[in-house]
Amino acid sequence: MSLATTSALAQAVKTANSRFRTATTLSSLTSRPRRPQYFRAAPQPASPELSELLSKYASLTLRPLSLSTLLSFGRPLTPESVLASVNCALLEIPHRLATRVRSLEALPFIVGTNPYVANTLNAYRESFRWVATHPPITNLADNAKFTEQLTDVVESHANDIPTMAKGFQECSRYMSPTQISSFLDNAIRNRISVRLIAEQHIALSQELDNADADPSHVGVVDMECSPKAMIKMCGSFVSELCEATLGASPPLVIDGQADATFAYVPVHLEYMLTEILKNAFRATVEHHSKHHPSQPLAPVTITLSPPSQIKNTTPYFSIRIRDEGGGVSQANMARIFSYAFTTAGRGAEEEFDDGSGGGPYAAQHIGGSAAIGSGGSGEANLFGEITGKGLQTGLGTIAGLGYGLPMSQLYARYVEIEVKKLVEC
């Protein structure tokens, strides 16, 4: 066989092999199941009429909400005061809903196309449209119908926070932790205000028709709220959690003026006490097991101090909670109220896991172990915790918050207690 013939044959074999490999590759690609393609539709813009209405309410000056404002419609409680309350609700609720709609519309485009975020936006738009276009209420019969519908609206938004959290979980790459924290602060603060206004009016309307209503309550505000009673209730609950999760719980001591009372929203105080006691109980047990295993658990001590009668002193009811859990390092003090910070890290959640994804204490460490981020101590997954666990706060279902101190801070700072005005009224 000549050299030319041999070369031509080799070239033909090489070409045939190349064609075979190409055919095989194409065959494997065509036989391999294709991943489904998802297309996100851009959220529909508000209609011109709705957009104009949103702009009108969003431009109004926001009035701060105080206990004296909430109480003014119930002291005394009369048909006229209830009608004044409903007119206040018809002004303040759409204003706050408009603010929330505008903040959702201002999110980055790719975040706004997420179905969870888009659905939340649509729900807020519909609720805003209903309350903003509701005709004036001039009699108790109309108020009764409005109150019934308002109750349904409040319940329909019970899962807004976990729904948005799921959306942010899917879009976390498009926003920084600082941006997400800022949005959450505003979203939760707005949620507190809307529900507080709505539930106060609902409660006042119900009290007007109930001759057996508790005289110490003015709507959702307990004029004789007992921190001692609340501490015992929350302490009992947290103690059971601590026993079940860690195998022990510290004793609880209440000192100071234990029988003092003050005007407050009980469900807010309950949330704050529960979150802080969870931190205190867990820190005490863990610190004790590492450093003093042979000694009895040190107590968690709560000191109650009502406003001083001395002039020019701070008129606040003080609740001081102390534990011997080792404290927080000075380097971390500036970050303990951040959603993106934890002193516990991932390992702490796994160590005490009961098989349900973190146990009763999951996402309840200092600062909220359900942090924003994806790794390392102080960088757990906030939204995975939010969407994976449930927590009833009395203001709707805020699923698996784990915000701990940041959330408690929002509650504590929201309602400005004007003690002097309350005493004078």
Side-chain angles (χ1 to χ4, degrees):
M1 184 179 294
S2 67
L3 181 61
T5 302
T6 303
S7 177
L9 181 61
Q11 182 63 35
V13 171
K14 182 177 180 181
T15 301
N17 287 337
S18 176
R19 289 174 178 173
F20 175 76
R21 286 195 299 271
T22 302
T24 303
T25 302
L26 290 173
S27 176
S28 64
L29 287 176
T30 54
S31 62
R32 189 178 301 166
R34 293 186 177 183
R35 297 178 61 183
Q37 298 295 315
Y38 297 100
F39 299 94
R40 290 181 176 177
Q44 293 295 320
S47 65
E49 296 80 7
L50 181 60
S51 183
E52 182 179 352
L53 197 58
L54 283 165
S55 298
K56 170 188 173 182
Y57 277 94
S59 64
L60 297 176
T61 302
L62 186 65
R63 296 193 305 173
L65 185 65
S66 67
L67 278 182
S68 59
T69 301
L70 293 176
L71 293 171
S72 63
F73 301 114
R75 299 201 303 182
L77 182 61
T78 64
E80 291 74 21
S81 69
V82 168
L83 292 178
S85 172
V86 71
N87 287 318
C88 176
L90 284 172
L91 174 64
E92 296 297 333
I93 292 177
H95 181 192
R96 285 163 170 79
L97 290 179
T99 302
R100 182 60 21 218
V101 169
R102 287 307 194 203
S103 68
L104 286 166
E105 292 176 340
L107 286 171
F109 177 81
I110 188 65
V111 178
T113 62
N114 180 274
Y116 295 101
V117 176
N119 288 342
T120 301
L121 171 59
N122 289 334
Y124 271 109
R125 282 175 174 169
E126 288 305 311
S127 295
F128 167 79
R129 184 199 305 273
W130 171 74
V131 71
T133 60
H134 198 284
I137 296 174
T138 58
N139 57 70
L140 293 179
D142 289 343
N143 177 67
K145 296 178 182 178
F146 172 79
T147 301
E148 184 177 350
Q149 293 174 308
L150 182 62
T151 302
D152 293 337
V153 170
V154 169
E155 293 177 354
S156 72
H157 288 277
N159 293 317
D160 283 349
I161 297 299
T163 299
M164 281 195 297
K166 180 62 176 177
F168 277 111
Q169 182 184 30
E170 297 181 353
C171 302
S172 58
R173 72 182 68 179
Y174 307 117
M175 295 179 69
S176 69
T178 300
Q179 290 175 315
I180 295 176
S181 292
S182 176
F183 184 88
L184 281 175
D185 272 346
N186 292 329
I188 296 171
R189 191 179 295 112
N190 182 279
R191 173 189 175 86
I192 293 172
S193 66
V194 170
R195 295 187 72 91
L196 197 54
I197 295 170
E199 292 183 342
Q200 175 69 354
H201 175 68
I202 292 170
L204 290 175
S205 298
Q206 293 172 344
E207 288 177 12
L208 185 64
D209 298 327
N210 183 11
D212 299 325
D214 187 345
S216 66
H217 282 73
V218 180
V220 296
V221 181
D222 185 355
M223 298 302 297
E224 299 176 5
C225 181
S226 170
K228 178 182 177 180
M230 297 293 292
I231 291 168
K232 287 185 175 181
M233 179 183 69
C234 298
S236 175
F237 170 70
V238 173
S239 180
E240 290 182 6
L241 288 182
C242 197
E243 287 275 0
T245 308
L246 306 179
S249 65
L252 187 62
V253 176
I254 303 175
D255 62 17
Q257 300 186 42
D259 295 326
T261 62
F262 72 127
Y264 205 67
V265 183
V267 71
H268 290 188
L269 182 59
E270 178 184 351
Y271 179 83
M272 291 184 285
L273 285 173
T274 299
E275 292 303 309
I276 297 174
L277 286 177
K278 283 179 180 178
N279 288 332
F281 274 48
R282 178 164 193 164
T284 298
V285 173
E286 292 183 343
H287 183 76
H288 175 271
S289 65
K290 293 179 181 178
H291 301 282
H292 310 288
S294 61
Q295 299 179 12
L297 281 170
V300 172
T301 304
I302 303 182
T303 303
L304 304 180
S305 177
S308 173
Q309 300 300 319
I310 302 175
K311 291 184 178 181
N312 301 322
T313 57
T314 304
Y316 295 116
F317 195 112
S318 299
I319 302 176
R320 182 174 64 176
I321 301 176
R322 293 171 291 171
D323 62 67
E324 297 184 25
V328 180
S329 68
Q330 288 297 320
N332 291 332
M333 284 301 294
R335 297 186 289 165
I336 63 174
F337 289 105
S338 170
Y339 294 107
F341 174 74
T342 174
T343 59
R346 291 180 182 273
E349 295 179 17
E350 297 172 357
E351 181 179 355
F352 299 102
D353 195 349
D354 65 351
S356 63
Y361 270 89
Q364 301 298 342
H365 311 307
I366 287 181
S369 68
I372 298 170
S374 58
S377 180
E379 288 282 338
N381 186 344
L382 168 64
F383 298 113
E385 296 287 357
I386 293 177
T387 56
K389 300 177 179 67
L391 177 65
Q392 290 286 346
T393 68
L395 293 179
T397 301
I398 304 181
L401 279 175
Y403 299 172
L405 295 182
M407 185 73 171
S408 298
Q409 187 179 61
L410 287 178
Y411 275 111
R413 288 181 171 177
Y414 188 79
V415 179
E416 301 173 359
I417 309 174
E418 303 174 6
V419 175
K420 288 184 178 180
K421 290 184 179 180
L422 292 177
V423 173
E424 293 170 359
C425 290

